Amino acid sequence: MINKWLISADELNALTGSNTVIFDCRFSLADPQMGKSLYRQGHIPGAYHLDMETDLSGPKGLHGGRHPLPDARVFSSRMRECGVNHNSLVVAYDSNRLAGAARLWWLLSFFGHHRVKILDGGLPAWLSAKLPLTQESPAKAAGDFDAIENPNLIVDCDWIRKNITNRRLTLVDSREAPRYLGREEPIDPVAGHLPGAINSPWQQVTNEAGLTKPVEQQKQIWQALPMTEYPVVYCGSGVTACVNILSLSMAGLENARLYPGSWSDWCSYPDNPIEPPLNPSPDLL
């Protein structure tokens, strides 16, 4: 295997046995129906489709962000009907530089399932290996997966408010630099970042083909930043931050926590401080 969390297209194709469950996690923030449409057009044989909005997220509210965590019972039910058992090997893939696959990888860890692999390079790597696709959907199954939340892997808005000046804490903003700097905000109503956060865009974890960079390069990403012993990672809505948590794990830093609501939750509270300040002058950007 490439890495404890990664699997190549050839390795996935060579897997045999009935205790492997494959999930297609392709999605588009701009078009919530795109993932399902792409799945119907063709997917890896045996793969189930997971929808970012309904399977990998919970219902939206006034606060909590654009992709709240799914309810444990609902998530358990979805995994079971796809045949996930407590000892199943789960393989996740997407076509967006691991964003959807890393979300499922992180969710399964949060809910207590650790036999998970991400297809390195996603569906493009599968196609580059000249491996087949199908339009046939697998039948519902009957797994025994039981989701048990690990609250030690997450923080919420209140926790950050109380700890934002803690020098042992590193807030890592996973969004692109223009959004971090407050120069543009195409999705959320307010631009900027959490006070004191450093920026490490999630796309740098992979190359342009969506393949993860070697472990040494993952280590270099984090060694170049002023990291402390308690990293908390966020993005726009808690999805692409999971790619950075994957990178941290590859680099041997296993104690990162996710702020699931991320920027979309933080900026939903008018009294929360932000950097740069609202309506900053041009010389601050």
Side-chain angles (χ1 to χ4, degrees), residues 23-26 35-36 39 47-52 55 78:
F23 287 109
D24 185 315
C25 302
R26 287 177 287 175
K36 188 175 295 185
Y39 175 80
Y48 294 87
H49 176 255
L50 291 180
D51 184 88
M52 180 59 69
D55 296 320
R78 184 72 178 112

Side-chain angles (χ1 to χ4, degrees), residues 13-249:
N13 187 52
L15 284 179
T16 58
S18 59
N19 204 27
T20 298
V21 184
I22 305 172
F23 287 109
D24 185 315
C25 302
R26 287 177 287 175
F27 76 100
S28 167
L29 291 177
D31 180 2
Q33 298 302 315
M34 182 177 290
K36 188 175 295 185
S37 175
L38 291 173
Y39 175 80
R40 289 170 176 163
Q41 292 172 33
H43 52 268
I44 293 176
Y48 294 87
H49 176 255
L50 291 180
D51 184 88
M52 180 59 69
E53 305 297 325
T54 59
D55 296 320
L56 300 179
S57 305
K60 299 179 183 66
L62 178 61
H63 303 296
R66 286 182 279 106
H67 293 103
L69 298 183
D71 176 80
R73 290 171 298 177
V74 174
F75 187 78
S76 290
S77 177
R78 184 72 178 112
M79 291 295 102
R80 288 175 184 173
E81 68 183 22
C82 296
V84 177
N85 295 309
H86 70 278
N87 63 345
S88 293
L89 172 61
V90 174
V91 178
Y93 74 89
D94 59 30
S95 58
N96 189 27
R97 299 180 77 157
L98 311 188
R103 170 74 169 196
L104 177 59
W105 165 80
W106 184 88
L107 278 175
L108 283 167
S109 178
F110 173 67
F111 285 127
H113 190 85
H114 302 285
R115 289 199 70 208
V116 188
K117 297 282 186 180
I118 294 174
L119 175 57
D120 197 23
L123 191 63
W126 182 267
L127 295 174
S128 293
K130 302 187 185 306
L131 295 169
L133 299 181
T134 184
Q135 294 181 332
E136 296 183 8
S137 300
K140 285 188 177 183
D144 61 13
F145 174 74
D146 186 21
I148 301 175
E149 296 181 7
N150 182 353
N152 295 321
L153 297 183
I154 58 173
V155 302
D156 61 15
C157 185
D158 287 339
W159 188 95
I160 291 180
R161 286 194 193 107
K162 294 173 183 175
N163 291 276
I164 203 160
T165 59
N166 186 341
R167 294 184 178 181
R168 299 168 68 190
L169 168 69
T170 302
L171 288 170
V172 179
D173 188 314
S174 305
R175 298 171 300 164
E176 299 87 337
R179 293 182 68 193
Y180 166 78
L181 292 170
R183 292 176 176 170
E184 63 181 50
E185 182 46 70
I187 304 174
D188 293 308
V190 180
H193 60 264
L194 273 67
I198 60 175
N199 187 215
S200 186
W202 66 278
Q203 294 94 332
Q204 65 185 348
V205 174
T206 56
N207 62 25
E208 291 185 358
L211 293 163
T212 54
K213 295 176 182 177
V215 168
E216 281 308 310
Q217 291 187 38
Q218 306 295 341
K219 291 180 180 179
Q220 290 169 12
I221 291 172
W222 305 107
Q223 289 170 353
L225 296 169
M227 300 293 291
T228 59
E229 57 192 299
Y230 295 116
V232 170
V233 188
Y234 75 93
C235 56
S237 63
V239 175
T240 55
C242 297
V243 181
N244 266 345
I245 294 177
L246 172 68
S247 172
L248 284 160
S249 179

Side-chain angles (χ1 to χ4, degrees), residues 255-266:
N255 62 332
R257 285 173 287 180
L258 176 69
Y259 173 20
S262 287
W263 179 250
S264 55
D265 176 53
W266 185 261

